[in-house]
Amino acid sequence: PAAWEMEKAAGCPALGGSYPQKNAEILSSQYGINLFLAGLLLTFAWAVHAVGISKSHLLSYLITLMLIQLLWMLWYLCRSCTQRRLIQDKDTHAGARWLKCGITLFAVITLILDSFKIGYYIDFSNCLSPTEGIFPVTHAVHTILQVYFLWCHAKDVIQSFKTLERFGVIHSVFTNLLLWTNGVLTESKHQLNEHKERLITLGFGNITIVLDDHAPQCNCTTTTLCSIFSQGIYYLYPFNIEYHILASTMLYVLWKNIGRKVEHHQQIKTPFKFHGITVGMISGLIVLISTIAIVVVYLIQIGGSKIKSELALTMFYLHAIFVLALMCTAGIVALLIYRLEDRSLDNSKNPARKLDAELLVGTAAGSWLLSWGSILAIICAQGHPKYTWYNLPYSVLVIIEKYIQNLFIIESIHREQEKANDDIKTLRIVTISRGSALSLTPLYKEIYNGRAARDSGDVPCLIKGSICGTENDGAGVAKEETSQDNSLVMHSASDISFDSRNSVTNNKRRILKNIAVFLFLCNLSLWIPPAFGCRPEYDNGLEEIVFGFEPWIIVVNLAMPFSIFYRMHSAASLFEVNCKT
């Protein structure tokens, strides 16, 4: 501990002290990128059935990465316990409580997914590799320990063993990214198989249907359980995917904070309140419930027959167009309110806020790519089924809505919070003369603004709520009483003016909170369809004809995960915006 304190004071790491910290950051980032690229290539080789590459090789690589991360987290937790008496720097903006609760929820569902995989392995144990049984067990232990680690240490600003910790944290970041990639690929292959089977129903018989089958080559011991496990796994994958991407972002912020000098200031707590957001809450819940109903009907109707499939696509597009139009309108109103306000932006260094803004713009590019592809297909296609024309306004609104929403969220998270609420309790100063309370002086706001000094002719004393006494003679008492009588009108006028300004500010704030809640629920609503298999980009069929089946499917499989993550990340950011407003 003593050595650690000396090291912290000197600002030099215990390991790798000969390297500047910038070099350590570059070395660790390059290590993580190479780790990720090797795993990505291995994942791709398994996906295309490369010769000599099986699923067991991929799972063995992922198991090894998770075990290394487990060892590092255990070492960090043990070291933190031995140094818990020392005062450690914290980044108050990182690892918000609501974000930890969200990742915990996703982690619990991920544990259910792991239990399904274990059950699936037991039923097909005769023809599955042992790694397919070891992987879910290791992943469950990894999930439990990682969630505990993030709850306890997501806010840490590491100042000791900085070089070693950089490698440990970046290893964790890219391990989670590879687990996210593996989940995305597995879920996408399942969705693609279902999509290929539905294309014939829509009348696109000229597209070759070859199912990418990775099913076990043996019979299940209990047919009913196997069916439950195999179908349930794919409904749980969206939560597993969100869990790993959230974990990687939180760990990345921890990595960026290593060795950072934190400005110590009091954190303004921003709890979530339901008061005053009834309109936004009700409107958002209506959108959420209607979206769930649309998804259920879509999944039932699509693939049933050509007519049912076209009706399902038309229903989806009309609902999405209506919701996106409402979201655009709400975003424009919020931006107009910001233009009417005069509040400065907070440009201080904040890794968490910077990452949020970059992720919003970066992941929005995924859906923008799909939208421009659909627009180009509609323009260039020779034949246009009726339902495909609804795809044009839908694609245009997707581009516009994300553009507006990104502006609103990024400006909201950069706006400075008010130093104090306008509705603070009234503070009155009792003036004592000759041991008796003669009168109550004006409000604290008026004293602070100098009005009281002008009214009474004296400069009042303010010492955090203490009572300040002034010695006055009889003439002074009479003068003070006369002055206070004359100042009542001025006080009333200033109070009315202040209340008017306060009322306008509160109305703007209430509108912004309702907009934030409405957009929060709308983004959750728009996350549900693609996450659970309602993907018109697959089922529309027009893009496959224009671009070709395989090229368009590659574009969709690359862009869709970013589009799905954008909605969940936007929902998380809007929740924070609502708390800060």
Side-chain angles (χ1 to χ4, degrees):
W4 182 84
E5 288 182 329
M6 293 175 62
E7 175 197 335
K8 181 177 177 180
C12 59
L15 296 177
S18 59
Y19 294 99
Q21 282 305 305
K22 190 64 179 177
N23 286 357
E25 183 177 342
I26 295 172
L27 286 172
S28 62
S29 62
Q30 292 181 118
Y31 161 76
I33 291 172
N34 280 279
L35 200 73
F36 179 72
L37 290 177
L40 195 63
L41 189 61
L42 195 59
T43 304
F44 176 75
W46 167 72
V48 299
H49 304 277
V51 178
I53 302 295
S54 64
K55 189 175 183 179
S56 61
H57 294 101
L58 173 61
L59 295 181
S60 298
Y61 184 74
L62 295 175
I63 290 169
T64 303
L65 294 184
M66 286 191 289
L67 290 176
I68 294 174
Q69 184 185 345
L70 284 171
L71 290 175
W72 172 77
M73 287 191 295
L74 288 172
W75 180 81
Y76 187 90
L77 290 172
C78 292
R79 191 170 64 84
S80 298
C81 289
T82 60
Q83 299 172 353
R84 58 187 173 185
R85 293 182 179 179
L86 299 176
I87 299 176
Q88 297 185 2
D89 292 331
K90 298 287 184 181
D91 181 0
T92 56
H93 298 282
R97 184 175 294 274
W98 57 265
L99 186 59
K100 293 176 183 177
C101 292
I103 200 173
T104 303
L105 174 63
F106 290 135
V108 170
I109 300 176
T110 297
L111 292 176
I112 298 174
L113 173 64
D114 289 330
S115 65
F116 275 37
K117 287 184 177 180
I118 294 171
Y120 185 80
Y121 171 76
I122 292 173
D123 288 331
F124 286 103
S125 58
N126 294 331
C127 55
L128 291 178
S129 169
T131 54
E132 297 198 39
I134 298 172
F135 177 79
V137 175
T138 308
H139 187 262
V141 176
H142 175 270
T143 300
I144 293 171
L145 187 61
Q146 182 168 258
V147 170
Y148 175 78
F149 175 85
L150 291 173
W151 265 97
C152 297
H153 300 287
K155 294 179 178 289
D156 287 4
V157 178
I158 300 171
Q159 300 291 356
S160 62
F161 297 95
K162 288 183 280 191
T163 301
L164 177 62
E165 302 295 13
R166 287 186 191 276
F167 279 89
V169 178
I170 206 66
H171 177 94
S172 305
V173 170
F174 283 102
T175 297
N176 278 276
L177 283 178
L178 277 175
L179 291 169
W180 171 76
T181 304
N182 179 63
V184 166
L185 180 63
T186 305
E187 196 265 347
S188 296
K189 289 170 75 69
H190 174 74
Q191 293 290 342
L192 182 58
N193 283 340
E194 292 187 344
H195 164 61
K196 288 177 178 178
E197 293 172 347
R198 291 197 294 258
L199 283 176
I200 296 296
T201 305
L202 282 172
F204 298 98
N206 55 340
I207 298 175
T208 304
I209 304 297
V210 179
L211 295 182
D212 189 3
D213 192 11
H214 285 278
Q217 303 299 318
C218 62
N219 294 325
C220 176
T221 54
T222 54
T223 307
T224 305
L225 286 177
C226 287
S227 177
I228 294 174
F229 290 147
S230 61
Q231 294 298 321
I233 283 173
Y234 294 106
Y235 285 105
L236 297 177
Y237 259 117
F239 302 99
N240 173 64
I241 291 168
E242 295 300 330
Y243 160 72
H244 282 298
I245 198 68
L246 283 177
S248 63
T249 55
M250 293 177 71
L251 288 165
Y252 177 78
V253 172
L254 178 64
W255 180 73
K256 291 295 291 183
N257 277 330
I258 295 177
R260 176 186 165 207
K261 293 181 179 179
V262 181
E263 298 179 1
H264 296 280
H265 55 83
Q266 186 178 1
Q267 182 186 12
I268 302 175
K269 295 184 178 180
T270 54
F272 179 80
K273 295 180 180 180
F274 288 97
H275 178 69
I277 58 173
T278 306
V279 176
M281 182 72 73
I282 293 175
S283 303
L285 287 175
I286 291 173
V287 172
L288 179 61
I289 294 170
S290 62
T291 302
I292 294 173
I294 292 290
V295 170
V296 172
V297 175
Y298 183 96
L299 295 176
I300 293 173
Q301 296 292 328
I302 198 76
S305 66
K306 185 176 181 180
I307 296 177
K308 289 182 178 179
S309 297
E310 290 181 357
L311 287 175
L313 285 166
T314 302
M315 175 188 63
F316 173 86
Y317 283 131
L318 290 175
H319 176 265
I321 289 169
F322 178 72
V323 173
L324 290 170
L326 288 178
M327 294 175 70
C328 288
T329 305
I332 291 172
V333 171
L335 291 174
L336 289 175
I337 292 175
Y338 281 165
R339 299 288 74 79
L340 296 175
E341 289 186 343
D342 184 18
R343 192 187 300 180
S344 60
L345 298 180
D346 181 8
N347 295 317
S348 61
K349 186 177 179 180
N350 188 330
R353 185 174 59 200
K354 181 182 178 182
L355 179 62
D356 285 340
E358 291 173 349
L359 285 176
L360 282 172
V361 178
T363 55
S367 58
W368 287 338
L369 176 63
L370 295 176
S371 296
W372 282 114
S374 297
I375 294 171
L376 189 61
I378 294 170
I379 295 173
C380 298
Q382 295 179 352
H384 296 85
K386 183 178 179 180
Y387 65 89
T388 57
W389 286 109
Y390 296 109
N391 194 11
L392 181 60
Y394 166 74
S395 299
V396 172
L397 281 172
V398 166
I399 296 171
I400 297 173
E401 184 273 327
K402 290 189 176 180
Y403 190 89
I404 295 172
Q405 182 171 267
N406 287 346
L407 286 176
F408 171 59
I409 294 175
I410 292 173
E411 182 169 350
S412 297
I413 62 180
H414 280 84
R415 288 169 70 85
E416 288 186 346
Q417 291 182 267
E418 294 180 351
K419 303 301 181 182
N421 290 330
D422 290 328
D423 55 349
I424 61 173
K425 294 182 179 180
T426 302
L427 174 64
R428 297 181 181 273
I429 310 300
V430 180
T431 304
I432 307 297
S433 179
R434 295 181 181 177
S436 61
L438 296 179
S439 63
L440 296 178
T441 61
L443 300 178
Y444 169 78
K445 296 190 188 74
E446 297 168 346
I447 295 174
Y448 181 81
N449 291 328
R451 298 190 186 100
R454 293 195 304 268
D455 295 339
S456 62
D458 300 322
V459 179
C461 174
L462 298 175
I463 311 177
K464 293 185 177 180
S466 61
I467 298 176
C468 302
T470 56
E471 293 293 335
N472 298 321
D473 55 13
V477 172
K479 180 180 179 180
E480 181 180 349
E481 290 176 346
T482 304
S483 175
Q484 289 178 358
D485 291 339
N486 293 332
S487 65
L488 286 177
V489 177
M490 294 180 61
H491 295 162
S492 299
S494 63
D495 286 344
I496 293 172
S497 176
F498 172 79
D499 290 341
S500 177
R501 292 195 303 270
N502 191 37
S503 177
V504 173
T505 302
N506 287 337
N507 288 334
K508 290 180 181 178
R509 185 181 303 166
R510 189 179 298 109
I511 294 173
L512 289 172
K513 287 180 75 69
N514 277 278
I515 290 174
V517 169
F518 174 71
L519 292 177
F520 164 75
L521 291 171
C522 284
N523 276 274
L524 284 182
S525 303
L526 295 179
W527 173 80
I528 293 173
F532 291 92
C534 182
R535 301 178 180 181
E537 294 84 1
Y538 276 144
D539 300 320
N540 188 26
L542 193 65
E543 292 86 349
E544 281 99 335
I545 294 176
V546 174
F547 296 103
F549 180 76
E550 290 187 357
W552 179 248
I553 291 303
I554 291 173
V555 171
V556 173
N557 284 336
L558 289 176
M560 187 61 69
F562 296 100
S563 179
I564 294 173
F565 173 70
Y566 172 85
R567 289 302 175 189
M568 185 56 69
H569 182 63
S570 297
S573 300
L574 286 163
F575 186 89
E576 181 180 358
V577 170
N578 178 75
C579 293
K580 290 177 64 177
T581 303

